Amino acid sequence: MRERTALLVTATRYTLVEHSRNRFAAVLIALFLPLWTLLAYVSMPDQPVRLRLRATGELLTPRGNELTAVSGALNAVTLITAFLMFAATFGGSMFDRRLAMAGFPRTHLIAAKLAGLTLASALVAAYAAAVICLAWTPRQPLLLAGALFSAGLTYGILGVGFGALLRKEVEGMFAIVMTSVIDLALQNPIISSRADSAITHFLPSYGAMQAATAAAFSRTAVPGHLLVELTWFAAAALVGLLTFQWRTRSTLPSNRRARRGNGPRPAEPRPLPES
């Protein structure tokens, strides 16, 4: 038991050190997140927008700049957590594979990645919620932080899947950006006239967007939509972790195949010449 705990602590420490060395992600958190969120708040018109929130059935009239700031914060959180996990998975894939082939338990490697993702998502979500509170006071700040956190979890695990599946960095970056942009743009009523369409229910951040909108402009709590987002996280985690399992598999021939004679046979010794 102590050995397993030590292995898990070692894998978690390695994951956290890997995240702390990602200076580009630190710059995104410190500068891009508040800049994108506050620019969305300042640049958009503050005229009220009529929308019916599917999570509660209420007819809300939030200001356009406040609604766009919530969408911008979600966009920033999803991009940052996805980039962070993609970079860690893509850059450390060969090392993870060597550890797995050397006998390091894959479950410990997976648990360490989930621990790193949970911590990173919590920090980024708390920071994003604090930035929004600088612009105006949401109705339910804790629910807003929870919605941002759940979105970060979902996109972080998508980053793990992209990092384990894709072969080039540019492919992963493009996949992350386009997934987040399409996902959130279709749900913003200022950008999309079909933001209340039934198709938005199947988007990765639907639960988080509904919960964040309710938290910002309504007094009604919607914990059920956080569970919807966590369901997306669980589904993405299953796919991502199966991909991680496949990428860290051993490609060496098994002993069973060697015993069956499928491997190369040693050359027979030549007879010594007669004296």
Side-chain angles (χ1 to χ4, degrees):
M1 185 66 181
R2 291 182 178 179
E3 181 181 358
R4 290 182 175 273
T5 303
L7 290 174
L8 179 59
V9 170
T10 300
T12 304
R13 184 172 64 248
Y14 164 75
T15 300
L16 295 179
V17 169
E18 185 73 16
H19 289 332
S20 65
R21 291 178 177 176
N22 193 332
R23 297 180 180 179
F24 181 65
V27 172
L28 289 178
I29 295 172
L31 299 180
F32 171 73
L33 192 154
L35 184 63
W36 175 229
T37 304
L38 295 177
L39 276 179
Y41 177 78
V42 173
S43 61
M44 294 298 293
D46 60 355
Q47 297 177 356
V49 178
R50 293 173 59 88
L51 67 92
R52 184 171 297 279
L53 186 63
R54 285 181 172 270
T56 63
E58 299 176 80
L59 184 63
L60 303 177
T61 56
R63 296 180 183 274
N65 57 344
E66 294 176 353
L67 183 61
T68 306
V70 171
S71 179
L74 277 169
N75 186 221
V77 169
T78 55
L79 286 176
I80 290 171
T81 53
F83 281 152
L84 187 65
M85 298 306 297
F86 171 79
T89 305
F90 186 85
S93 60
M94 293 303 297
F95 183 67
D96 290 335
R97 185 174 181 180
R98 293 192 190 100
L99 287 176
M101 293 176 65
F104 202 99
R106 285 185 174 87
T107 54
H108 291 64
L109 295 174
I110 292 171
K113 291 187 181 299
L114 291 177
L117 169 59
T118 302
L119 180 59
S121 297
L123 293 176
V124 175
Y127 182 50
V131 170
I132 290 178
C133 290
L134 291 177
W136 87 96
T137 303
R139 299 289 183 88
Q140 304 177 73
L142 292 180
L143 179 61
L144 177 61
L148 295 170
F149 171 70
S150 63
L153 285 178
T154 300
Y155 270 81
I157 207 66
L158 286 176
V160 173
F162 289 146
L165 182 63
L166 301 178
R167 299 285 183 176
K168 298 180 181 179
E169 286 183 315
V170 66
E171 296 174 356
M173 298 300 180
F174 181 81
I176 291 169
V177 171
M178 293 308 299
T179 302
S180 179
V181 169
I182 294 174
D183 180 12
L184 294 167
L186 289 178
Q187 298 185 69
N188 190 339
I190 297 178
I191 300 175
S192 174
S193 59
R194 299 298 303 276
D196 59 345
S197 173
I199 196 173
T200 59
H201 293 196
F202 303 99
L203 296 176
S205 68
Y206 172 75
M209 186 66 176
Q210 291 290 307
T213 306
F217 310 111
S218 173
R219 294 291 184 184
T220 306
V222 287
H225 280 73
L226 291 181
L227 294 178
V228 171
E229 189 64 29
L230 292 179
T231 302
W232 248 103
F233 163 72
L238 178 60
V239 176
L241 298 180
L242 287 176
T243 305
F244 177 80
Q245 178 89 3
W246 174 70
R247 284 298 301 270
T248 57
R249 76 195 188 285
S250 174
T251 57
L252 297 176
S254 63
N255 293 332
R256 184 179 300 177
R257 288 182 60 189
R259 286 197 299 267
R260 290 178 179 176
N262 293 334
R265 297 181 178 179
E268 298 181 359
R270 296 180 180 180
L272 296 175
E274 297 181 358
S275 58

